[in-house]
Amino acid sequence: MGEKPFWSVSGEQVLKKLDSQSSGLASKEAKARISSGTVLKPKKQGVWGLLLQQFTSPIILILFIAAVLSFFLSDTSDALIILGIVIVSGLLGFWQEKGASDAVEKLLSLVQVKTLVLREGKQVSIPIEEVVAGDIVMLSAGQGIPGDCRILESRDLFMDEATLTGETYPVEKEAGVLPVKTALARRSNVLFMGTHVVSGSAKALVVNVGKDTELGKVSERLGKEEPPTEFETGIKKFGYFLMEVTLVLVMGIFAINVFLGRHVLNSFLFSLALAVGLTPQLLPAIISINLSQGAKRMALQNVIVRKLSSIENFGSMNVLCSDKTGTLTEGKVHVHSALDVNGVESKKVRLYAYLNAIYESGFRNPIDDAIRRHHVDISDCEKLDEVPYDFVRKRLSVLVKMEGKHVMVTKGSLHSVLSVCSSAEGGRSPVAIAQVKKKLEREYKDLSSKGYRLLGVAYQDMKKKVRIAKEDEKKMTFLGFLVLEDPIKKGVVDTVQRLRKLGVSLKVITGDNYFVARHLSEQVGLFKSKIMTGKELEEMSEEALLKRVNEVDVFAEVEPNHKERIILALRKAGNVVGYMGDGVNDASALHAADVGISVDDAVDVAKGAADIVLLKKDLEVLVEGVKEGRKTFANTMKYVFIATSANFGNMFSMAGASLLLPFLPLLPKQILLTNLFTDLPEMTLASDEVDAELISQPKRWNIHFIRKFMIVFGLVSSIFDFLTFGTLVWYLGANQYLFRTGWFVESVISASVVVLVIRTRKPFFKSRPGKYLSWATLLIAIVTLVLPFTSLGLLFGFMPLPLSFIWILALILFGYMVVAELAKKLFYRMVPF
């Protein structure tokens, strides 16, 4: 902003500096600013970047260099074949990942967070990522701030700035000019990106976006990124482990082959090809494909995944925390009755409640919608002012001109309203509130224990005042109750039971009182449930909460700041926690949970904080989503198990054979072809069928289990590899060409068919694989058997196999599957996962 920062000059000067105006930018100008890079957009990898990524592995790059070196020094055809196989493998990975990326992008477009901006004087809803410097944004409760903004106009505006300043309570904001040296936390005329509106409304000018915002500067300075999920951390550890094994094995094999006097370049290429075989090159692509396929399947169940890596946490989730409204209940609140202090139906209570609801201008909520449905004639009334609802006061006031009087009508939590009342309208004249307090408490408990929610309604004659503030909410007259009901959803009891059978326990977190919460828990089948109130929570230490949190089923009378504390305690107690929320006060809890779940019609800040968005607010949708999440996790783990068993076993066998034989057991090009052929069936695992027992309970990443699996099944694989070696050398007296051909065929077919064993915990013939996996396995087996008899096979250095070996090979493969089945049964009995 030149010499002076934008908070220290007038709004008109800021508009002029940004070449904008109070009616907003012109559409053409906004598009020009987007294309010029002013806009904050999430980083998206381009097509070329994704393609190049397939070839950025250090091993692949070295292989490229070695092949080029081979081209100039020795065998041109071998070099071209090696390069060709590496390129084909990379293109396969690119094709799969590109398809996955496009599919996910389409899904994300369904749940875009949008904001209102002024364009040429008209309000237009646009994706929050397309907001540019110079835009005028129209803000209301629940909306996130798309960039650092200067307030032009505001009304009772309160912001949650905890993400930036750490301030727990909402901060009041208003237009104005501040001194140049005003500290960030005291800039009351500035709205910061990453914060959100708690209550009130504003018209604000976007000054900075992206890295130029305060949050952007902090993130860039600290290198702040999303913390990795448990699954991502596990994959990284797994990768490091395999790299260590690969490095030691490859360096040792290369040194020994050179020591034995074999061709240095061939030995080097052999070692590199061996490294490629050991390295799960396809793991990133397989994970990406599995997650995107899982996201597509979940979308069919009305579950949209915003963060792909959250699918694993979704499948691992064993605790789900949720509010009751719209999840356990219909979410369509009904006004049951409007009662005066004596419990009698009152038209005046209904009228005043209607005035308060119809003139409320904050975020829409089901309670006010329910009140508005009971239309009352207010044609002779006029709204003068409003004090919006906030989660500290728990009430909302409007100033109304009616019958020549200026009346402030207040509605909200019963105890919150009673706390500002000095009298009650209980007969011909008001009585002191103390006289009716016990009767009101009895009525409150009686109706609450039947599942009704009660709001208090009060009023005060404000004489001729045309403005009201929070401070005016005092010495009011209590008018009566508004009794609301929200029926339990049909079938919710069965849904809660289905969640329990899936190993997911439901914990209800609600602001409703103890009696309503107890009635609800009984209705949804949580009999003899343990209930903790917000007051108990306040008095409890972190250690005490940690000990009790797993036992509690319902948290009642909860304040917004309690939710995050409950979530964090559950996580510390060893749970994978999901939190379902859609309100302004749910953002921190959604961030704190392992997996944040929201709904499509949630306020922006809740939807933006969520990892997963439901297109229908329904637990039944969530049940199906959990199943799909677990299928995705199971199919990803299948590849991990295969990569650590068959591949490792084959490469270990190859390393051993290279030390015993007078020639290289497989040429580099043959190893790479083996990798390509074994990878093809594995790429279909994303669409594989998943056994019911793998879905029935949550599973978590376990690197120790994977390491044990690799050792056991790698050794089983190696036993049959060496049996093949013996057959080729001692029975058939194979030369180097026959040996390489025989082992290539055995290696590819055994690695392909063992997938059918490893993919399930059941006997493989009792678990039907996906059709794509079945066809891919069959096709690769046929191509592998036929290849040595073709001219292409000759180019790769293969020769036709004798029929006697094919029969022996069939016996070896049969024995391998039988032993693998027995090993699997014993392994899962001794090493639980």
Side-chain angles (χ1 to χ4, degrees):
M1 289 309 304
E3 294 182 1
K4 286 189 175 183
F6 66 90
W7 58 85
S8 65
V9 295
S10 67
E12 290 75 15
Q13 287 176 279
V14 186
L15 281 165
K16 185 178 179 181
K17 183 69 179 178
L18 291 169
D19 197 18
S20 185
Q21 49 191 348
S22 58
S23 59
L25 294 170
S27 298
K28 287 184 179 179
E29 174 62 20
K31 287 180 180 177
R33 295 189 186 193
I34 289 173
S35 61
S36 67
T38 311
V39 65
L40 168 67
K41 278 204 166 191
K43 290 181 180 177
K44 182 189 171 186
Q45 193 171 34
V47 173
W48 290 108
L50 187 61
L51 179 60
L52 288 173
Q53 182 183 292
Q54 311 301 317
F55 305 100
T56 54
S57 161
I59 292 174
I60 294 297
L61 291 175
I62 294 171
L63 200 58
F64 265 123
I65 295 168
V68 172
L69 188 62
S70 177
F71 179 81
F72 286 108
L73 297 180
S74 58
D75 193 338
T76 304
S77 62
D78 276 10
L80 290 174
I81 289 170
I82 290 169
L83 287 173
I85 292 173
V86 172
I87 290 169
V88 168
S89 296
L91 289 175
L92 276 173
F94 164 74
W95 172 61
Q96 292 276 14
E97 285 205 71
K98 179 67 170 60
S101 175
D102 291 345
V104 170
E105 193 173 341
K106 286 181 182 178
L107 293 177
L108 289 177
S109 67
L110 298 175
V111 288
Q112 277 185 327
V113 176
K114 296 189 175 184
T115 192
L116 280 178
V117 300
L118 287 181
R119 292 279 162 86
E120 298 164 351
K122 295 180 180 179
Q123 291 191 12
V124 180
S125 178
I126 64 170
I128 203 165
E129 297 88 359
E130 293 182 10
V131 172
V132 296
D135 262 326
I136 305 290
V137 291
M138 309 301 293
L139 302 165
S140 59
Q143 288 188 301
I145 309 303
D148 287 354
C149 305
R150 171 64 188 273
I151 299 173
L152 301 178
E153 300 172 14
S154 68
R155 181 78 179 101
D156 299 307
L157 183 65
F158 283 83
M159 302 294 301
D160 183 337
E161 294 188 339
T163 54
L164 190 65
T165 65
E167 177 61 50
T168 305
Y169 294 100
V171 179
E172 189 168 12
K173 298 279 185 171
E174 58 187 356
V177 178
L178 298 172
V180 172
K181 294 185 179 180
T182 303
L184 183 143
R186 297 184 181 278
R187 293 174 197 165
S188 57
N189 63 353
V190 177
L191 306 178
F192 298 104
M193 178 184 166
T195 66
H196 64 269
V197 182
V198 175
S199 62
S201 58
K203 178 181 179 181
L205 170 66
V206 179
V207 179
N208 294 316
V209 294
K211 293 180 180 179
D212 295 330
T213 63
E214 293 298 330
L215 189 66
K217 291 173 187 175
V218 172
S219 298
E220 192 173 28
R221 189 164 59 246
L222 300 179
K224 188 177 179 182
E225 294 180 357
E226 284 280 337
T229 65
E230 182 183 47
F231 185 74
E232 289 172 321
T233 303
I235 288 291
K236 190 175 288 185
K237 288 180 179 177
F238 170 62
Y240 288 146
F241 168 67
L242 282 186
M243 279 177 64
E244 289 170 6
V245 174
T246 301
L247 187 62
V248 172
L249 194 58
V250 168
M251 287 179 68
I253 294 300
F254 173 67
I256 291 170
N257 274 287
V258 172
F259 176 76
L260 293 174
R262 289 166 188 167
H263 193 280
V264 175
L265 185 58
N266 278 343
S267 297
F268 182 57
L269 283 171
F270 174 77
S271 299
L272 285 177
L274 196 62
V276 172
L278 277 169
T279 307
Q281 284 174 268
L282 276 183
L283 186 57
I286 291 289
I287 290 172
S288 178
I289 295 160
N290 272 329
L291 293 179
S292 63
Q293 289 290 335
K296 286 197 285 187
R297 289 196 303 269
M298 289 168 76
L300 296 175
Q301 305 295 340
N302 292 306
V303 179
I304 305 299
V305 180
R306 295 186 72 247
K307 183 182 175 186
L308 281 183
S309 57
S310 68
I311 292 179
E312 185 276 331
N313 279 344
F314 197 44
S316 302
M317 179 177 68
N318 68 307
V319 171
L320 173 65
C321 298
S322 174
D323 192 2
K324 69 178 185 65
T325 306
T327 307
L328 302 175
T329 65
E330 292 287 350
K332 297 177 181 177
V333 180
H334 305 284
V335 177
H336 177 267
S337 54
L339 309 177
D340 64 15
V341 174
N342 297 312
V344 178
E345 184 70 34
S346 168
K347 289 184 179 180
K348 188 173 183 179
V349 173
R350 195 175 288 272
L351 169 64
Y352 277 41
Y354 184 81
L355 287 168
N356 182 280
I358 202 72
Y359 288 136
E360 184 263 331
S361 61
F363 60 94
R364 292 185 66 87
N365 62 82
I367 291 175
D368 285 329
D369 287 343
I371 297 169
R372 292 182 189 117
R373 286 196 292 269
H374 293 263
H375 182 71
V376 179
D377 183 13
I378 56 167
S379 54
D380 58 343
C381 300
E382 178 188 352
K383 177 184 176 180
L384 300 174
D385 199 15
E386 175 184 359
V387 181
Y389 181 90
D390 65 61
F391 295 100
V392 178
R393 289 165 41 249
K394 295 186 178 179
R395 53 183 180 263
L396 163 72
S397 294
V398 294
L399 182 62
V400 182
K401 182 178 179 181
M402 54 187 298
E403 298 176 353
K405 296 180 179 179
H406 292 193
V407 179
M408 180 172 69
V409 181
T410 300
K411 168 177 67 51
S413 161
L414 179 62
H415 290 101
S416 174
V417 171
L418 285 173
S419 68
V420 294
C421 290
S422 57
S423 61
E425 194 171 281
R428 294 180 182 177
S429 59
V431 297
I433 196 72
Q435 294 182 28
V436 295
K437 204 161 188 178
K438 286 186 178 180
K439 182 167 67 173
L440 294 175
E441 282 292 339
R442 284 196 302 272
E443 190 76 7
Y444 168 74
K445 288 182 181 179
D446 180 53
L447 289 169
S448 294
S449 62
K450 294 176 183 176
Y452 295 112
R453 182 175 180 181
L454 275 67
L455 297 182
V457 181
Y459 72 98
Q460 183 182 172
D461 186 348
M462 302 303 291
K463 308 302 181 186
K464 293 298 179 181
K465 286 186 74 171
V466 294
R467 290 280 182 182
I468 55 174
K470 295 176 184 178
E471 293 71 27
D472 292 313
E473 295 175 337
K474 60 185 179 181
K475 296 182 180 180
M476 301 189 73
T477 300
F478 184 75
L479 192 57
F481 301 103
L482 196 66
V483 184
L484 306 165
E485 63 176 339
D486 185 5
I488 295 296
K489 275 186 178 178
K490 186 178 179 181
V492 74
V493 176
D494 290 336
T495 304
V496 171
Q497 290 300 319
R498 288 182 66 194
L499 275 173
R500 188 173 293 163
K501 287 178 181 177
L502 286 171
V504 180
S505 60
L506 177 69
K507 295 188 183 293
V508 180
I509 301 178
T510 178
D512 287 340
N513 66 65
Y514 175 90
F515 305 102
V516 172
R518 185 176 65 184
H519 182 268
L520 170 86
S521 65
E522 291 172 354
Q523 280 191 302
V524 300
L526 299 175
F527 298 106
K528 297 182 181 179
S529 56
K530 293 185 179 180
I531 302 174
M532 182 184 289
T533 64
K535 186 177 180 182
E536 291 177 88
L537 196 64
E538 287 280 3
E539 298 169 352
M540 194 172 287
S541 67
E542 293 300 323
E543 292 75 15
L545 178 60
L546 198 60
K547 289 179 180 177
R548 286 198 58 194
V549 71
N550 280 334
E551 303 169 0
V552 178
D553 301 300
V554 181
F555 296 88
E557 301 173 23
V558 166
E559 302 288 342
N561 59 313
H562 291 156
K563 295 180 179 182
E564 183 178 6
R565 190 181 171 203
I566 294 167
I567 301 299
L568 292 174
L570 283 165
R571 290 185 64 185
K572 286 179 183 177
N575 301 291
V576 177
V577 184
Y579 178 78
M580 189 169 175
D582 61 358
V584 180
N585 62 335
D586 289 317
S588 59
L590 286 164
H591 277 297
D594 289 293
V595 53
I597 306 162
S598 194
V599 288
D600 193 32
D601 58 357
V603 297
D604 289 348
V605 67
K607 195 160 70 170
D611 302 306
I612 287 171
V613 177
L614 309 183
L615 297 183
K616 287 172 63 180
K617 191 175 183 181
D618 192 337
L619 273 185
E620 186 61 31
V621 170
L622 204 60
V623 169
E624 296 306 316
V626 167
K627 287 182 179 180
E628 291 298 340
R630 290 184 184 174
K631 285 180 183 178
T632 302
F633 176 67
N635 282 336
T636 304
M637 292 308 297
K638 286 175 189 177
Y639 177 77
V640 171
F641 291 153
I642 291 160
T644 55
S645 55
N647 287 1
F648 180 82
N650 283 342
M651 294 306 110
F652 183 78
S653 302
M654 197 179 302
S658 69
L659 304 180
L660 301 173
L661 296 171
F663 51 83
L664 291 176
L666 283 180
L667 296 175
K669 60 186 176 183
Q670 294 167 344
I671 296 176
L672 294 176
L673 186 65
T674 302
N675 297 336
L676 179 62
F677 276 20
T678 53
D679 282 344
L680 288 172
E682 291 164 10
M683 293 184 85
T684 66
L685 283 170
S687 59
D688 190 27
E689 298 291 334
V690 178
D691 295 338
E693 58 263 32
L694 294 178
I695 301 172
S696 62
Q697 293 296 316
K699 298 289 188 296
R700 300 176 73 170
W701 177 269
N702 188 335
I703 189 69
H704 300 294
F705 179 90
I706 294 167
R707 189 181 292 120
K708 291 174 183 176
F709 194 98
M710 179 188 76
I711 293 169
V712 171
F713 286 88
L715 288 174
V716 170
S717 175
S718 288
I719 289 169
F720 286 89
D721 285 340
F722 282 104
L723 187 59
T724 304
F725 300 163
T727 302
L728 287 165
V729 174
W730 293 316
Y731 178 70
L732 294 176
N735 59 22
Q736 60 183 349
Y737 301 106
L738 180 58
F739 183 93
R740 289 167 181 163
T741 306
W743 194 25
F744 166 77
V745 172
E746 185 271 342
S747 183
V748 172
I749 297 178
S750 65
S752 299
V753 297
V754 83
V755 173
L756 304 178
V757 176
I758 291 174
R759 60 169 291 278
T760 176
R761 294 189 180 192
K762 297 177 181 178
F764 78 92
F765 51 85
K766 289 187 177 180
S767 176
R768 186 177 179 180
K771 63 179 181 179
Y772 295 114
L773 177 60
S774 300
W775 282 110
T777 303
L778 180 62
L779 181 63
I780 286 297
I782 292 170
V783 170
T784 303
L785 281 170
V786 172
L787 183 64
F789 297 91
T790 65
S791 55
L792 183 60
L794 293 175
L795 190 62
F796 274 94
F798 297 135
M799 62 175 286
L801 288 168
L803 187 61
S804 57
F805 175 74
I806 294 175
W807 284 111
I808 294 171
L809 175 63
L811 290 173
I812 290 173
L813 291 173
F814 177 76
Y816 181 29
M817 293 191 73
V818 170
V819 173
E821 276 291 345
L822 293 172
K824 180 176 69 176
K825 186 176 181 180
L826 186 62
F827 181 82
Y828 281 119
R829 186 182 297 170
M830 297 179 67
V831 188
F833 177 50

